[in-house]
Amino acid sequence: MKRLLIASSICLSLILSILAAPPSSAKAETAHNPVVLVHGISGASYNFFAIKNYLISQGWQSNKLYAIDFYDKTGNNLNNGPQLAAYIDRVLKETGAKK
């Protein structure tokens, strides 16, 4: 009986503490930096369809989500590095973002 009373007291305390907590006045950030999604070896930009949809559902604008398609699908960074750098520069110029 004593255990039941203690367990009930703990449950009631938890419930009251949750109900007494004031609601958060924090707002979701509406200004996001652009996101460049980069696939791995032999991947493609369409691999990010689900991730893009998830980010949009979380408040991201679709025009801030980018995905690159590398010409070299073997993962050669000597080829893909400059292509990625140029792509990011283009995204920054297009969006006016600093990062």
Side-chain angles (χ1 to χ4, degrees):
M1 182 71 178
K2 187 175 181 180
R3 286 185 183 172
L4 180 62
L5 184 59
I6 291 172
S8 297
S9 297
I10 290 172
C11 288
L12 182 59
S13 296
L14 288 173
I15 291 170
L16 291 176
S17 68
I18 291 171
L19 293 175
S24 173
S25 62
K27 294 183 180 178
E29 186 178 338
T30 56
H32 294 103
N33 290 318
V35 174
V36 176
L37 302 165
V38 181
H39 63 76
I41 295 174
S42 76
S45 62
Y46 61 79
N47 296 130
F48 300 110
F49 180 77
I51 294 171
K52 283 183 172 183
N53 285 336
Y54 172 76
L55 290 172
I56 291 167
S57 77
Q58 297 300 306
W60 291 78
Q61 296 172 333
S62 62
N63 65 349
K64 296 277 183 133
L65 303 174
Y66 296 83
I68 188 169
D69 278 314
F70 288 123
Y71 302 128
D72 185 342
K73 302 287 188 187
T74 66
N76 183 334
N77 287 335
L78 294 175
N79 295 330
N80 293 342
Q83 183 186 353
L84 179 59
Y87 188 81
I88 290 172
D89 288 341
R90 192 178 90 220
V91 168
L92 292 174
K93 185 178 179 183
E94 184 179 307
T95 62
K98 294 180 181 171
K99 61 178 184 173

